């Protein structure tokens, strides 16, 4: 009798068997559908004849045929090469000519009868061998007729041979149109004659570019003349490659031209590339990349002649000014769509490159203002924008021209948000950096930049378009930060700039029609600028830096006092943002006070007062916990700064009344939590005493604290109160750990180094083995704690 399987194993076995049955059923259904779709219908109920067993076919008949034909053609080609290169010299001139002529003629004539018999694949293979033999014929003629030719003569002969072969192969393909190989081979070979001829004539880069361009023009003419046939339709591929080569040669030669006269030849080549690109896009559907290349070449041709006479920055502006009219092609309906699209994209690409150049110059200039942080209020920042001295005024001009183009595109293409966003960003960059290279006084530069920042902020508040408003808000924030940084170089500038920006942000926060996110950001910035002003005013006094925390805390106190006046319905978002910024100001105040213990204690106490004042409101009750923590921390810091060694003398007078108040609270309200009633009072003494016990080398304090903690733990367990139980138990465990720590250290030092990792591994194995039991025990402990009050 078989032993029954465990339920889990039997269930897994049943699931596996069912899966196999489902897979077999799906296979049989698919096979049945395929059999029903065969031309000869099956007779229902008649037994099917058993199929004769056979091996599966791993290759189809056409595949095997093509493989054999390809191998045959390759072997014939190898034999022809071996004959031409190795056995050529063993025959006389007559024998050589006769052999090549007969073999070539036979290879070229044989495909015709093969095609009439329907053997197309065989004809293709033989025709490929024939084309290769014509190449070998050309090589043989060169070897016999020009044995001592130099490299230039060999290149010239190769150019002529390529032209003859291309023409012959094209005629051969037209004579036997069923063959697919001759016409593509002729197309590829036709790319070689003109470039090889230019190389043979020792032509320079410009002449080679003209040869590439002429070949590309022939390819495009072929593609436009017979677009229905696939070899002609594919002619745009080599045309694009050769045209790109000519464009690159023209651009490189124009870039290194030292004068306008030297730039004339590359400009002519670029102009021809532009004409060919536009013509190709005009005649060939979907060829907008050709028009794009043509637009780029036209701008480079016109700007290249002026570039040697201009400064680098103004050369960029010139190219940008020449490219902007190309954007207008999108509105010229008389042009074909590929031409309009390609020219517009060329103009947009050049404008984008010029805008990137202008942005790089502007970022360099604005980042240079970080030097003021090395020495604040030193009045050493130059009045003129030194970082913009190299590009000069050209960088802002380029940014403004690109911004104008983006603005025009945003009106032409109203459904796209990108042009409007780019217009805002580039326009702000141009206007904000325009005063830097003009040599204006610092006050004039800061005033102009403040005006630009205010305009961007106003646009963020009033723009109905959300992407535009977000972009305006971002650049306004960037501008405010940068001009504030620049203002730190002088005292008067600091107060003027921070005051104006703070007032503007406060006005923006109160602007009702603005979006909520914009008003919230303005409110937070207003609080931030108020904090910065207070720090600057504190720096004017003789106070040490830690004592600056006291006036800084006036900012969160003012926000807390103004909170009830900000209605939650109308200004709720602004109030929340302002309070968050006020909290950051409070943290700044505490950070400033960290260097002096009395100042830190006073700052913590004042911060607790502010939090307690906020906790009076019903929606800010949670800040009461923060106030309690701050008050306790202030007391600890003050005791530590005064050198108090017996903290209990100061904490017990607070703990006893607090516990009495908690006891009365529990009598009036039995549902009140033990944390609310007894937690603060117990923590006031237990935590400072525990901190003192860990640093006390004597035994009375740990003994007394441990006894008190044990009593609290027992009392909490007896009365089922969570706060005494957990606080007492935690303190007792910490005291015990403190007492055992020296012995644990001694034991650990005596143990071998391998024993702790081994014990840790065993512990992990034990925990993993009893994981389910541990979870059950944890749930029971949680339930027990939950039943406590």
């Amino acid at each position: 009798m078989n032993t029954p399987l465990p339920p889990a194993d039997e269930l897994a076995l049943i699931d596996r068997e069912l899966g196999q049955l489902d897979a077999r059923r799906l296979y049989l259904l698919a096979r049945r559908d395929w059999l029903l779709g065969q031309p000869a219908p099956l007779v229902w109920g008649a037994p099917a004849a058993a199929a004769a067993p056979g091996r599966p076919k791993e290759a189809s008949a056409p595949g095997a045929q093509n493989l054999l034909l390809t191998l045959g053609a390759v072997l014939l080609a190898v034999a022809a090469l071996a004959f031409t290169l190795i056995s050529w010299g063993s025959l006389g001139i007559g024998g050589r000519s006769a052999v090549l002529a007969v073999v070539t003629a036979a290879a070229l004539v044989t495909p015709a009868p093969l095609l009439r018999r329907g053997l197309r694949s065989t004809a293709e293979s033989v025709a490929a061998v024939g084309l290769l033999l014509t190449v070998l014929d050309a090589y043989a003629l060169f070897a016999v007729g020009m044995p001592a030719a130099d490299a230039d003569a060999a290149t010239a002969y190769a150019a002529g041979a390529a032209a003859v072969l291309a023409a012959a192969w094209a005629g051969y393909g037209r004579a036997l149109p069923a063959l697919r190989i001759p016409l593509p081979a002729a197309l590829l070979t036709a790319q070689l004659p003109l470039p090889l001829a230019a190389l043979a004539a020792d032509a320079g880069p410009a002449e080679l570019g003209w040869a590439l361009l002429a070949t590309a023009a022939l390819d495009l003419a072929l593609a436009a003349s017979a677009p229905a046939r696939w070899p002609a339709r594919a002619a745009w591929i080599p045309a694009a490659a050769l045209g790109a080569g000519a464009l690159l040669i023209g651009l490189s030669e124009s870039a290194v031209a030292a004068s306008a006269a030297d730039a004339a030849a590359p400009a002519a080549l670029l102009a021809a590339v532009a004409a060919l690109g536009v013509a190709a896009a005009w005649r060939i559907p979907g060829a907008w990349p050709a028009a794009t290349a043509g637009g780029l070449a036209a701008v480079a041709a016109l700007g290249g002649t002026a570039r040697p006479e201009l400064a680098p920055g103004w050369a960029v502006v010139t190219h940008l000014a020449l490219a902007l009219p190309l954007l207008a092609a999108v509105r010229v309906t008389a042009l074909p769509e590929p031409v309009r699209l390609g020219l517009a994209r060329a103009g947009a690409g050049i404008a984008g490159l010029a805008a990137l150049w202008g942005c790089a110059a502007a970022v360099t200039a604005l980042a240079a203002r970080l030097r003021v942080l090395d020495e604040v209020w030193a009045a050493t920042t130059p009045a003129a924008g030194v970082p913009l001295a190299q590009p000069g005024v050209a960088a802002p001009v380029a940014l403004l021209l690109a911004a104008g183009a983006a603005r025009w595109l945003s009106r032409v293409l109203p459904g796209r948000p990108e042009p409007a966003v780019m217009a805002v960003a580039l326009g702000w960059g141009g206007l904000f950096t325009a005063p830097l290279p003009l040599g204006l006084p610092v006050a004039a530069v800061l005033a102009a930049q403040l005006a630009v920042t205010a305009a961007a902020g106003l646009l963020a508040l009033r723009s109905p378009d959300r992407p535009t408003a977000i972009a305006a808000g971002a650049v306004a924030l960037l501008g405010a930060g940068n001009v504030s940084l620049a203002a730190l170089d002088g005292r008067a500038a600091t107060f003027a700039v921070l005051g104006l920006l703070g007032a503007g942000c406060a006005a923006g926060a109160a602007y009702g029609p603005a979006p909520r996110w914009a008003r919230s950001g303005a409110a937070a910035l207003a609080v931030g600028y108020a904090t910065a002003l207070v720090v600057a005013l504190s720096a004017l006094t003789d106070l040490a830096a830690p004592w600056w925390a006291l006036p800084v805390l006036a900012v969160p106190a003012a926000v807390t006092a103004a909170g009830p006046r900000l209605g939650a319905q109308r200004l709720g978002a602004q109030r929340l943002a302002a309070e968050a910024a006020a909290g950051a100001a409070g943290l700044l105040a505490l950070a400033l006070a960290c260097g002096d213990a009395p100042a830190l204690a006073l700052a913590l106490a004042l911060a607790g007062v502010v939090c307690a004042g906020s906790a009076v409101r019903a929606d800010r009750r949670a800040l009461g916990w923060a106030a309690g923590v701050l008050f306790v921390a202030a007391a600890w810091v003050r005791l530590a700064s005064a050198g108090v060694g017996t903290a209990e003398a100061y904490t017990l007078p607070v703990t006893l009344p607090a516990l009495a108040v908690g006891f009365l609270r529990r009598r009036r309200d039995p549902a009140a939590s033990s944390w609310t009633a007894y937690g603060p009072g117990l923590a006031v003494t237990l935590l400072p005493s525990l901190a003192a016990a860990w640093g006390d080398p004597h035994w009375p304090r740990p003994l007394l604290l441990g006894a008190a903690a044990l009593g609290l733990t027992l009392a909490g367990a007896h009365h089922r109160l969570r706060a005494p139980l957990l606080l007492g138990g935690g303190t007792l465990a910490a005291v015990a750990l403190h007492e055992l720590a020296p012995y644990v250290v001694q034991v650990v030092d005596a143990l071998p180094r391998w024993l702790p990792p081994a014990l840790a591994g065993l512990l992990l194995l034990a925990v993993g083995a009893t994981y389910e039991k541990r979870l059950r025990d944890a749930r029971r402990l949680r339930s027990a704690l939950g039943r406590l009050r």
Side-chain angles (χ1 to χ4, degrees), residues 45-428:
R55 297 180 180 178
K57 296 186 173 79
E58 298 181 357
S60 62
Q65 167 195 305
N66 293 333
L67 178 61
L68 293 175
L69 293 175
T70 302
L71 288 176
V74 170
L75 292 176
L76 287 176
V78 171
L81 286 172
F83 171 76
T84 305
L85 298 176
I86 299 173
S87 302
W88 182 256
S90 62
L91 299 176
I93 185 65
R96 302 170 188 171
S97 302
V99 169
L100 277 178
V102 170
V103 174
T104 303
L108 294 177
V109 172
T110 302
L114 292 176
L115 290 174
R116 286 194 298 270
R117 293 176 177 272
L119 302 176
R120 182 173 179 174
S121 299
T122 306
E124 293 280 1
S125 301
V126 176
V129 175
L131 298 182
L132 177 62
L133 288 175
T134 57
V135 178
L136 297 179
D137 290 340
Y139 170 75
L141 290 176
F142 174 76
V144 172
M146 304 174 65
D150 57 2
D152 291 339
T155 305
Y157 177 82
V164 173
L165 289 175
W169 290 353
Y172 185 68
R174 296 293 297 273
L176 297 176
L179 296 177
R180 298 180 179 179
I181 294 178
L183 288 180
L187 177 63
L188 293 178
T189 308
Q191 313 305 313
L192 302 177
L194 292 179
L196 290 177
L199 294 177
D202 293 331
E207 289 77 9
L208 180 60
W210 280 106
L212 296 177
L213 185 62
T215 306
L218 294 176
D219 293 333
L220 290 175
L222 177 62
S225 62
R229 301 190 62 182
W230 76 268
R233 187 171 64 250
W236 68 268
I237 299 177
L242 296 177
L247 177 60
L248 292 177
I249 291 175
L251 292 176
S252 60
E253 291 296 307
S254 178
V256 299
S259 63
D262 295 339
L269 177 60
L270 291 172
V273 172
L276 182 62
V278 174
W282 200 297
R283 293 295 304 274
I284 301 176
W288 62 264
T292 301
L296 295 175
V299 173
L302 296 176
T305 56
R307 183 199 57 79
E309 310 300 331
L310 298 173
W314 289 108
V316 175
V317 174
T318 301
H319 283 81
L320 175 60
L322 293 172
L324 292 182
L326 297 178
L327 295 174
V330 296
R331 302 294 298 273
V332 183
T333 57
L335 296 175
E337 183 178 357
V339 177
R340 290 189 287 112
L341 184 61
L343 293 179
R345 290 184 174 179
I350 296 175
L353 293 176
L356 286 177
W357 172 82
C359 288
V363 167
T364 303
L366 298 181
R369 284 179 165 174
L370 292 172
R371 294 179 302 175
V372 74
L373 296 177
D374 295 336
E375 191 175 0
V376 179
W377 290 355
T380 57
T381 301
V386 175
L388 274 180
Q390 180 64 26
V393 186
V397 171
L399 290 174
L400 292 176
L401 286 176
R407 175 59 181 166
W408 182 81
L409 282 178
S410 68
R411 300 182 64 183
V412 174
L413 306 172
R416 301 296 298 271
E418 295 88 355
V421 172
M422 294 301 298
V424 171
L426 296 176
W428 171 84

Side-chain angles (χ1 to χ4, degrees), residues 690-720:
L690 181 61
W694 270 86
D696 192 347
H698 305 290
W699 60 270
R701 186 193 298 272
L703 178 60
L704 294 176
L705 181 60
L710 178 60
L712 282 176
T713 305
L714 295 176
H718 177 70
H719 295 286
R720 302 179 64 184

Side-chain angles (χ1 to χ4, degrees), residues 519-525 527 559 571-583:
R519 287 179 284 145
S520 301
L525 288 176
V527 175
V559 174
L571 299 175
Q574 293 90 308
R575 184 182 68 180
L576 184 60
E579 289 178 348

